[in-house]
Amino acid sequence: MSLRIVVCVKYVPDATGDRQFTEDLTVNRDDVDGLLSELDEYAVEQALQIADEADDAEITVLTVGPEDAKDALRKALSMGADKAIHVEDDDLHGSDVMATSLVLAKAIEKAGYDLVITGMASTDGTMGVLPAILAERLGVPQVTLLSEVKVEDGTVTGRRDGDSASEQLEASLPALVSVTDQSGEARYPSFKGIMAAKKKPVESWDLEELDIESDEVGLEGSWTKVDSAAQRPARTAGTIVKDEGEGGKQLAEFLAGQKFI
């Protein structure tokens, strides 16, 4: 039986761009380029490595987002994933991690899976809690923050590296794992892979197909919201100390004034 792997990926604003909020205090995606979250590239890479070792495996990449989110799916498909699912619905606008995890869980269950793989966090929200929430919604064990992953005989095993020790963890399939940016460099799509990605299937689902009501997602259905936001102040020139014999004393006084010493 084929090993069914679902990789959750996210289309995020380019971190090097000038990101702004809209009037409803959600991220303005119209004026900044987007791309596949770099941390999710590691998840795709681990799925590809697992599939290479398996007798038979199929990789589905899944995203929730606007029309442009298909670009993230195409990147994952060009890396080597087999097919993609895009959940797109106007009512999803403003969904927080709780609402997003609900949509992902419903889509994963509809797609069918043995193993779910995610990145350790998204590069825009950087919360890092979605893998645990998603595993809870799916009712499967979670093995998170792995720097090494293997699947064999219906069991997923992995290594989690901490500050002072490394742990060896395992769970029976079906299960969910998240991987860190230390799990292995993500491959670059080849020209052949880019061309092949154009022919790979991309399904589009909306909330109705997932049996989700509009008030369960979006700004209305989210558990958290942004109350206010302010533009970051422009950087100002720092304090310049000219050493004319008293530089050391002035520096010490400055550090003491800032309570650094």
Side-chain angles (χ1 to χ4, degrees):
M1 183 176 178
S2 176
L3 175 65
R4 300 168 299 171
I5 304 173
V6 176
V7 185
C8 298
V9 300
K10 189 176 184 182
Y11 180 74
V12 298
D14 189 342
T16 63
D18 184 18
R19 291 175 288 180
Q20 304 288 336
F21 285 112
T22 60
E23 291 183 1
D24 61 6
L25 296 179
T26 58
V27 177
N28 184 352
R29 297 178 179 272
D30 294 332
D31 298 329
V32 63
D33 293 332
L35 69 168
L36 170 62
S37 177
E38 180 183 356
L39 293 174
D40 291 341
E41 291 186 15
Y42 296 98
V44 176
E45 176 62 32
Q46 288 306 305
L48 294 170
Q49 292 188 23
I50 291 170
D52 287 342
E53 296 295 325
D55 294 332
D56 185 16
E58 182 180 63
I59 301 173
T60 302
V61 284
L62 166 65
T63 196
V64 176
E67 173 67 23
D68 290 343
K70 282 187 172 64
D71 292 344
L73 295 176
R74 290 297 180 193
K75 173 69 178 294
L77 291 172
S78 67
M79 291 172 66
D82 300 301
K83 60 181 182 178
I85 297 171
H86 181 199
V87 181
E88 180 186 9
D89 197 297
D90 290 341
D91 289 330
L92 287 167
H93 173 72
S95 295
D96 69 354
V97 67
M98 296 302 296
T100 301
S101 66
L102 171 64
V103 179
L104 287 172
K106 292 282 191 177
I108 290 169
E109 289 172 339
K110 180 179 174 69
Y113 70 101
D114 298 299
L115 178 66
V116 178
I117 306 179
T118 75
M120 61 189 290
S122 63
T123 54
D124 55 350
T126 64
M127 294 182 67
V129 298
L130 184 136
I133 297 172
L134 183 54
E136 180 69 17
R137 287 195 182 277
L138 292 171
V140 299
Q142 55 174 297
V143 188
T144 55
L145 300 176
L146 300 182
S147 54
E148 182 181 90
V149 188
K150 292 183 179 179
V151 175
E152 189 175 12
D153 298 330
T155 300
V156 57
T157 61
R159 189 185 77 243
R160 179 190 294 156
D161 296 321
D163 293 335
S164 58
S166 293
E167 302 172 301
Q168 292 292 333
L169 307 169
E170 68 174 44
S172 299
L173 299 180
L176 179 146
V177 303
S178 70
V179 298
T180 72
D181 54 358
Q182 302 300 310
S183 58
E185 196 69 27
R187 67 192 68 185
Y188 289 101
S190 64
F191 178 75
K192 180 180 179 182
I194 294 173
M195 297 305 294
K198 296 180 179 181
K199 299 180 181 179
K200 293 179 179 179
V202 179
E203 293 188 62
S204 293
W205 296 344
D206 59 18
L207 293 179
E208 183 178 357
E209 290 174 280
L210 297 177
D211 196 25
I212 298 175
E213 299 296 330
S214 60
D215 60 1
E216 296 180 274
V217 297
L219 292 171
E220 182 181 354
S222 292
W223 292 24
T224 60
K225 65 178 181 179
V226 178
D227 287 329
S228 63
Q231 188 74 23
R232 178 184 296 173
R235 295 185 64 178
T236 58
T239 302
I240 299 176
V241 176
K242 293 183 179 180
D243 188 5
E244 297 177 350
E246 295 290 325
K249 181 179 179 181
Q250 293 179 56
L251 179 59
E253 290 175 348
F254 173 78
L255 294 174
Q258 299 297 315
K259 297 183 179 181
F260 292 140
I261 60 174

